[in-house]
Amino acid sequence: LLRVHDHTSQTMASLKSKCLRSIFIFILLHCANAETRPEVIKALGDFYKSTSGSVWKNSKGWKSPTSASPTDPCDWDGIACDSGKVSSIQLINNNLYGYILPSFGNISTLVNLDLTENYIMGTLPATVSKLKNLQTLILDINKFIGNIPNVFSNLTQLAILSMANNGFSGPFPAEIGNLKNLIYLDLSENNLNGPLPSSYSNLTKLATLSVSHNFLI
């Protein structure tokens, strides 16, 4: 009876081990494929096309992404991932020329975005508000114009916000005053006008503020 019991225990242990391995493999595959879902691949493809990707200085992996036959964005130039999900896009001085489309907001796992020193034009899409995990947003030295949209109420994790040397106009966005984790803010060399909103006093963690070369009073 003891031998039968040992054999049964070994069989149960083997089955349990196989089940655990199957569950682990399922989770691993699920996580690995999480960021290749169609809307993310489409958003990255839209961004490549709308910023003249064919003339980028560095564009490995970006040239033919499609939702039908996706490649792993974690291997593309300028992209970094965390647990298989796109967490950072850094394309500094990479000859991006064009616009950011609304679909960019579908890259919802993005934590850091740095597009410094390119030729990105037009307005900042309101769908940036969907990037709720964003901690760093740097768009310095581009050609953005128009009012800065009211997107910041959702970006509560933002610590660094820098959009200097563009053509942003209109009032200083009052919503920025609600970014309680903000430590660095640079909106210098734009065409912002009017007073700093009273909500600015809420930025208790702010260590650096630059708003020079605007029309603020």
Side-chain angles (χ1 to χ4, degrees):
L1 290 175
L2 181 60
R3 286 196 296 272
V4 173
H5 178 73
D6 287 344
H7 177 71
T8 302
S9 298
Q10 291 171 3
T11 302
M12 292 298 293
S14 177
L15 287 172
K16 183 178 180 181
S17 177
K18 288 179 181 179
C19 286
L20 289 175
R21 283 200 302 271
S22 297
I23 293 170
F24 174 76
I25 291 170
F26 173 80
I27 293 172
L28 186 64
L29 289 174
H30 178 75
C31 292
N33 291 329
E35 209 48 40
T36 57
R37 64 188 190 273
E39 64 268 27
V40 173
I41 297 298
K42 182 180 184 302
L44 293 169
D46 288 348
F47 179 68
Y48 174 79
K49 293 173 185 175
S50 69
T51 56
S52 306
S54 60
V55 298
W56 287 9
K57 294 179 182 178
N58 300 291
S59 60
K60 186 188 76 173
W62 290 82
K63 293 184 179 180
S64 57
T66 66
S67 57
S69 56
T71 58
D72 184 2
C74 302
D75 295 329
W76 300 1
D77 277 340
I79 289 183
C81 292
D82 183 9
S83 301
K85 299 179 180 180
V86 173
S87 60
S88 177
I89 298 178
Q90 188 176 57
L91 295 167
I92 300 169
N93 189 21
N94 200 45
N95 207 31
L96 278 65
Y97 188 94
Y99 307 86
I100 296 179
L101 298 180
S103 61
F104 195 84
N106 290 330
I107 312 172
S108 58
T109 55
L110 201 58
V111 176
N112 302 302
L113 176 62
D114 190 346
L115 303 176
T116 300
E117 200 172 347
N118 284 289
Y119 303 91
I120 304 175
M121 301 173 283
T123 57
L124 191 64
T127 51
V128 168
S129 65
K130 296 167 65 177
L131 304 177
K132 296 181 180 181
N133 295 299
L134 209 58
Q135 295 178 14
T136 301
L137 176 59
I138 305 177
L139 302 173
D140 297 340
I141 317 175
N142 276 285
K143 306 294 181 182
F144 287 103
I145 60 171
N147 288 13
I148 298 175
N150 296 324
V151 298
F152 298 104
S153 59
N154 289 333
L155 306 185
T156 57
Q157 303 302 313
L158 208 58
I160 297 174
L161 174 58
S162 191
M163 301 191 295
N165 203 334
N166 277 285
F168 288 116
S169 57
F172 186 97
E175 286 184 331
I176 288 179
N178 298 322
L179 300 177
K180 296 183 179 180
N181 291 308
L182 203 63
I183 59 175
Y184 183 96
L185 174 60
D186 188 354
L187 296 176
S188 61
E189 297 187 64
N190 280 287
N191 296 309
L192 301 176
N193 58 67
L196 283 176
S198 58
S199 59
Y200 162 73
S201 61
N202 296 331
L203 302 177
T204 55
K205 294 184 180 180
L206 196 65
T208 300
L209 170 66
S210 180
V211 292
S212 63
H213 297 91
N214 279 289
F215 301 96
L216 300 171
I217 57 175

